[in-house]
Amino acid sequence: MSAFYYIYVAIVGLCLGSFYNVVGLRVPKGESILTPRSHCTRCQRSLSPGELVPFFSYLWLRGKCRNCGTRISPLYPVIEVMTSCLFLMAPWLLGWSSELILAWTLISLLIIICVTDIHYMLIPNKILIVFALLLLPLRLMIPLEPWWDMFAGALVGFTLLFLIALISKGGMGGGDIKLFAVLGLVLGWKGVLIAFFFSTVYGTIIGGVGMILGKVRRGKPMPFGPAISLGAITAYFWGEALTDWYFQFFRI
Ligand SMILES: [Zn+2]
């Protein structure tokens, strides 16, 4: 029975991942997320229903537009599979509890800001506001311990990133600052610090790998969204275990 639930979540994850690609690509440009139907960016041909199947269409078409042969960015299927995997990870780690709604909402936010940040180097206010309005009541209904930790988290997240933006003079964007306030709502003050710590670790790794591959240049800005997303996921699922381990290790 449980296997059936997991298969269902995997499929929903792929479909939502496909939708989040569209949201992330269109919202920053002020376009509608519903119309027009997805189309090839070069020849403008609308995709047939058979070509809209997440992930599998990409494999079937071997990553090329059927009409003009333009290469389709592998980022599309990667985002779809990532969404599906993260959606599966939530019930696997948390069990089938009410917290799942919050986990899936957080994952959705993180996936969308990865798309907007990779494509446009920005985290749109519209996305942040919509998700803050979803996550705030959810966190009130499924509270942290103590309940006000959500507000402490938002304050700590905002202040920390704001100070870093001041010191680094533009190393952090306004989107990153607001994103950390929203993350604080979900993670609490300790969680948001853990998220920040791991974001910088992942950011350094991604930047290093990017430089080796020639995709990132020293001194040029790089999208920090994917690193923040990974940091937030780490803090959300393993934050408590990590702090326990840390305090035991140093016998504090
Ligand atoms: Zn085409």
Side-chain angles (χ1 to χ4, degrees), residues 19-142:
F19 177 60
Y20 296 158
N21 268 317
V22 173
V23 172
L25 281 169
R26 291 188 184 179
V27 167
K29 291 202 282 181
E31 293 173 356
S32 161
I33 53 174
L34 298 174
T35 54
R37 236 172 51 201
S38 294
H39 50 80
C40 172
T41 48
R42 185 151 151 228
C43 70
Q44 307 300 329
R45 193 180 62 96
S46 285
L47 300 185
S48 67
E51 293 166 285
L52 286 169
V53 181
F55 180 62
F56 296 101
S57 290
Y58 184 86
L59 293 184
W60 175 246
L61 296 166
R62 293 203 204 99
K64 282 178 191 156
C65 170
R66 198 195 278 167
N67 190 39
C68 68
T70 299
R71 217 170 71 93
I72 303 164
S73 165
L75 202 59
Y76 292 101
V78 166
I79 289 289
E80 287 159 0
V81 170
M82 277 293 288
T83 312
S84 188
C85 290
L86 289 171
F87 265 54
L88 281 173
M89 214 165 81
W92 182 55
L93 290 170
L94 303 170
W96 297 92
S97 64
S98 55
E99 175 86 17
L100 278 181
I101 305 165
L102 198 97
W104 287 330
T105 310
L106 174 68
I107 292 164
S108 302
L109 165 66
L110 297 174
I111 291 284
I112 294 171
I113 63 112
C114 276
V115 176
T116 62
D117 210 24
I118 290 170
H119 284 278
Y120 307 108
M121 294 275 285
L122 60 85
I123 299 170
N125 280 332
K126 254 188 216 169
I127 301 290
L128 289 173
I129 291 167
V130 167
F131 276 92
L133 290 176
L134 288 170
L135 290 165
L136 184 77
L138 280 172
R139 212 11 137 205
L140 281 167
M141 279 187 281
I142 310 156

